[in-house]
Amino acid sequence: MRALESRRVVVTRPPAQAVEICRMLESAGAVPVLVPTIGIEPPASFEPLDHALRSAEEYDWVVFTSANGVQAVLRRTATLDVGLATSEPKLAAVGPATARALSDSGLTVAATPRAHRADQIPDALGDLRGVRILLPRSDLADESLSSLLRALGAQVDAVAAYRTTMQAVTPTGLAALEQGVDAITFTSPSTVRGLLEGLGSAGSRLMGDAVVASIGPVTSVAARELGVRVHVEARESTSRGLVDALATYQAWVRHTSSTAT
């Protein structure tokens, strides 16, 4: 029997970003339950991003912390008819999915941290004294990475490349949840907030009965601050790491299974 045979696992990513993890879950025997809790929208204003991209050659690094950021920037460079396919600035990616989004567009990734977490990016960039960095990100991103980079001497321009919006749980999603779930996966703090806001008290009850799996430390901290118990955290902050963490979780027996035997 496969590791997650018949386990119903909630995926909270937007549909376009959920394909990979759903495929991995199915390969492990699970039944993915797609309940998007966030959406990705254009920023409130393109002006700061456009200004930065038009002068991209003035930066030493462009640091991407998500595939969403890559896609948002590439859409905008196409609109502005400017490019990043030069030796300067160098491009850094937080992890494999983000790096793949760049390489699939013909761009070279110069740095990726060994531990695929934003707080590990500074170590991957080398000496940062006097280095200029463009950090395109979500409008909801916190200042932790910017602060780390600046503390090491970098000059950082953090600009909103896209907006993360909370999405209401659809009737289809509600119906799927009412069938029962065994686990819920969260891939960002926003996905946690989105599910709680979308379901209210029902969300708290749902997470009390299911195994909660987080993609990494930042998401886990945000979940706990919102009163959500995290049962398992991915060692590697990727879709593969998240599925592997669920597949090796040792305490399933203590949780009611909706369908698994």
Side-chain angles (χ1 to χ4, degrees):
M1 179 179 290
R2 288 174 294 180
L4 294 175
E5 194 69 42
S6 299
R7 299 283 185 185
R8 289 173 56 81
V9 180
V10 175
V11 176
T12 51
R13 275 182 163 164
Q17 282 89 51
V19 175
E20 181 182 50
I21 190 169
C22 286
R23 185 177 64 249
M24 291 177 179
L25 286 167
E26 288 172 345
S27 295
V31 179
V33 179
L34 185 58
V35 184
T37 64
I38 60 170
I40 305 301
E41 305 289 343
S45 170
F46 279 111
E47 185 176 352
L49 178 62
D50 288 356
H51 177 75
L53 293 176
R54 286 192 176 106
S55 56
E57 71 281 353
E58 298 178 10
Y59 293 97
D60 299 291
W61 288 95
V62 180
V63 174
F64 292 97
T65 56
S66 71
N68 288 324
V70 173
Q71 292 155 4
V73 165
L74 293 181
R75 283 194 296 269
R76 204 60 192 161
T77 56
T79 298
L80 298 174
D81 194 24
V82 299
L84 294 175
T86 61
S87 59
E88 293 292 342
K90 296 186 288 291
L91 308 181
V94 69
T98 306
R100 187 164 59 249
L102 288 165
S103 60
D104 285 351
S105 298
L107 299 174
T108 299
V109 179
T112 302
R114 289 184 180 179
H116 303 138
R117 304 200 312 264
D119 62 353
Q120 299 300 303
I121 287 174
D123 288 343
L125 303 184
D127 187 353
L128 292 177
R129 288 172 294 182
V131 170
R132 289 202 64 189
I133 295 174
L134 173 60
L135 181 60
R137 59 186 190 172
S138 164
D139 65 321
L140 297 183
D142 64 30
E143 294 299 317
S144 56
L145 177 56
S146 297
S147 297
L148 282 173
L149 294 167
R150 291 184 180 118
L152 293 169
Q155 302 172 45
V156 182
D157 289 337
V159 298
Y162 62 95
R163 285 187 301 129
T164 303
T165 59
M166 302 298 110
Q167 299 292 298
V169 178
T170 65
T172 300
L174 284 172
L177 293 173
E178 287 171 357
Q179 293 178 39
V181 300
D182 297 294
I184 304 170
T185 60
F186 291 118
T187 53
S188 69
S190 298
T191 59
V192 185
R193 288 193 293 270
L195 190 62
L196 288 174
E197 290 181 15
L199 294 178
S201 59
S204 297
R205 289 195 301 272
L206 177 71
M207 283 182 273
D209 294 334
V211 172
V212 173
S214 160
I215 200 168
V218 173
T219 300
S220 297
V221 168
R224 293 181 182 115
E225 288 176 348
L226 291 167
V228 176
R229 180 186 177 190
V230 176
H231 300 91
V232 60
E233 180 181 287
R235 290 185 179 180
E236 180 182 87
S237 297
T238 62
S239 294
R240 169 54 61 195
L242 189 53
V243 174
D244 287 347
L246 270 177
T248 56
Y249 182 58
Q250 297 298 307
W252 282 107
V253 69
R254 294 202 297 270
H255 294 267
T256 301
S257 173
S258 62
T259 56
T261 57

